[in-house]
Structures are given as structure tokens and as C-alpha cells.
Amino acid sequence: MPERIARASSAKEISALLSDAPADEARALIERYADDPRKQVQRAVASARRRLERDEAERLRVQGMYDLQRELGGEGIVLGVDEVGRGSIAGPLTVCAVALPYDPQILGINDSKQLTPARREVLAAKIADVALAIGTCHVEPASIDAVGMAQALRMAMAGAIEDARVDPECVLIDGNPMHVHPREKTLVKGDARVASLAAASIVAKVTRDHLMVAYADEYPDYHLAECKGYASAEHIAAIKAHGLTPIHRFSFCGNFLETPSLF
């Protein structure tokens, strides 16, 4: 038994140990103090049990995401592909393709929309550390205006797959069939169900958000750091006041302009 556990005697010390002990240590503490009559200790034991239950539920959830990846894609390189920025009125459409190994697993991965910005940053760094491949492609607003969103999405997905520079056994795409790769498979809401798709959604979101924050320095009147190019009330008001910039999608913004942009 670790010395710090052996030394603990007061209810306060035991409660502190239970609150942050690693799983194996927490189980030993729970077993040791399960019958301790002190109310503070019993509350700490109950809290530690709930924490372990949450951790186990999360482990099983993530294990299921890797299991479904293996079921759909096989044992080889499985490239998950997801996009962000489709509904934005400024900035690029961004697609990322990510291949994850089956070990180590990344606890916490999920559809990027289910995560806080801070959590996405942490997970994006972990993904970068373990990923077998990461590919990224941006399609800029002028190209979206020229070819339309459907074709722009195919261009971005094909570009991200190429940028990953691997020969995947399977390419998993979140959503509907796109016909961008001969080994393509699609899964609606796959970014919440498959590990590589969740990773792609996180990396795409973090990558594009960083880009939009950088654009905010160049175009400070448009609240881009906050809205990330989406049609917030402040962003629409800025368009009406100042017109469009070169990073706006003209085809998406006609309803917000009383007069044509000067750009």
C-alpha cells in the first residue's frame, strides 16, 4: 500500500486522498474505508465510487467507438474524414482526415460539438501525438462561391485524404456518400460514434477556429474570434455597417447587404 495511504488517519486526509486518487488506488481506499463510521469519510467514499463509475462509463463509451471503427474499417489504416464550416458565411470550409491506431485509446474523444473549446484543444494535442496520419484541406470562400458547397465539400474531402499521405484500408466519412475515394464508407452522425471520425471533427474544428481567430486581427470589425465566421447577430450587423471582406462568401451574404460590397 502506498505510504501516503498508510499515513492517512484523519477524515480530512482520507477525503483528500479519495478525491484525487488514481483508479487502482481509489479502489483500495474505498475497500479500506467502506465501513468507516465518520460521515466525512463516507461522503468521500460515495463520491469516489461515483467518480469510478463515471470513468468506467467513459472508458466503455470510447472503447465502443474504437470497436465500431474496427467493425467498419478493419485492422489496417482507417482514415476518418469530417468537415467544419459548411454553414459559415465567412472563412473557409475545412476538412480533416485522421487515422488513429487502436492503441493507445484517447479518452474523451467525441463529436467536437459536444466538447468545450478548452477540451477540444487538449484532445487535439493528444490526437496529434498518437495519430498515424493527419490531412487537412481548406476551400476558400471564392472557390465556394464559384463551384457551390456540394462541389467544394468534395474538393475539400479529396484534398484532406490526399494530404494525409497514407493508403487507407477504409475511408470513413461522417454523413452521406460523397464518392471521393474507392474505399469510402459513410456513417450519419459518425463523429459521435467512431474514434477516427471524432478525431477528425476535433482537429478540423480546432484548426479552423485558430484560423478565424487570426482573421479577427486582420478584420477586427467582424467579431470573427467570437463567431468563427458564422452568422451571429454581431457579425450580420458588421456586414451591414462595413460591407463584405475578401474572406466572406458572397453567395451566402446577399440577404445581409442593402448595397453591393466594394470588395
Side-chain angles (χ1 to χ4, degrees):
M1 180 175 294
E3 183 181 351
R4 69 193 193 105
I5 294 179
R7 289 201 312 265
S9 58
S10 72
K12 183 177 180 180
E13 289 173 332
I14 295 165
S15 298
L17 284 174
L18 280 161
S19 69
D20 62 0
D24 289 344
E25 197 172 296
R27 292 187 189 97
L29 285 164
I30 289 169
E31 182 177 354
R32 180 174 182 179
Y33 294 106
D35 298 323
D36 191 296
R38 291 170 289 185
K39 289 183 179 180
Q40 184 176 358
V41 173
Q42 284 304 302
R43 287 194 297 269
V45 166
S47 178
R49 282 196 177 113
R50 290 192 296 271
R51 174 167 62 89
L52 291 180
E53 288 169 358
R54 288 193 301 270
D55 290 348
E56 178 64 8
E58 172 64 8
R59 187 192 68 78
L60 291 173
R61 182 189 70 82
V62 171
Q63 179 66 57
M65 298 179 78
Y66 282 88
D67 289 346
L68 184 54
Q69 176 176 307
R70 180 179 278 109
E71 178 183 334
L72 293 172
E75 297 292 340
I77 293 176
V78 179
L79 203 57
V81 181
D82 200 14
E83 57 78 22
V84 65
R86 189 186 310 197
S88 176
I89 62 174
L93 171 70
T94 298
V95 171
C96 281
V98 177
L100 290 180
Y102 288 109
D103 183 63
Q105 294 184 356
I106 304 174
L107 292 178
I109 56 171
N110 204 340
D111 170 10
S112 64
K113 295 184 291 296
Q114 303 300 316
L115 303 167
T116 65
R119 190 64 181 147
R120 287 195 295 263
E121 294 283 350
V122 170
L123 288 168
K126 291 182 179 180
I127 292 164
D129 284 342
V130 305
L132 302 173
I134 296 177
T136 303
C137 184
H138 303 287
V139 176
E140 299 301 330
S143 294
I144 296 171
D145 288 334
V147 303
M149 180 52 69
Q151 181 59 22
L153 186 56
R154 284 190 288 271
M155 291 165 52
M157 287 186 171
I161 293 167
E162 182 179 2
D163 189 55
R165 299 184 180 182
V166 292
D167 183 20
E169 181 172 327
C170 178
V171 173
L172 294 178
I173 293 176
D174 182 43
N176 298 309
M178 296 300 297
H179 310 293
V180 295
H181 194 277
R183 300 187 189 119
E184 169 186 320
K185 291 184 180 180
T186 58
L187 185 65
V188 174
K189 299 189 183 303
D191 52 5
R193 300 169 62 190
V194 177
S196 61
L197 285 173
S201 77
I202 292 166
V203 175
K205 176 64 174 167
V206 169
T207 299
R208 187 179 184 278
D209 281 0
H210 288 177
L211 185 60
M212 297 311 297
V213 170
Y215 275 139
D217 292 334
E218 190 171 353
Y219 303 104
D221 296 324
Y222 293 85
H223 309 280
L224 297 175
E226 295 78 23
C227 73
K228 306 301 188 291
Y230 288 87
S232 68
E234 295 80 5
H235 189 184
I236 293 171
I239 291 172
K240 290 179 178 180
H242 306 290
L244 299 179
T245 73
I247 67 164
H248 280 93
R249 303 173 187 177
F250 285 38
S251 58
F252 284 42
C253 297
N255 292 337
F256 308 140
L257 292 173
E258 296 181 4
T259 59
S261 170
L262 297 177
F263 289 95

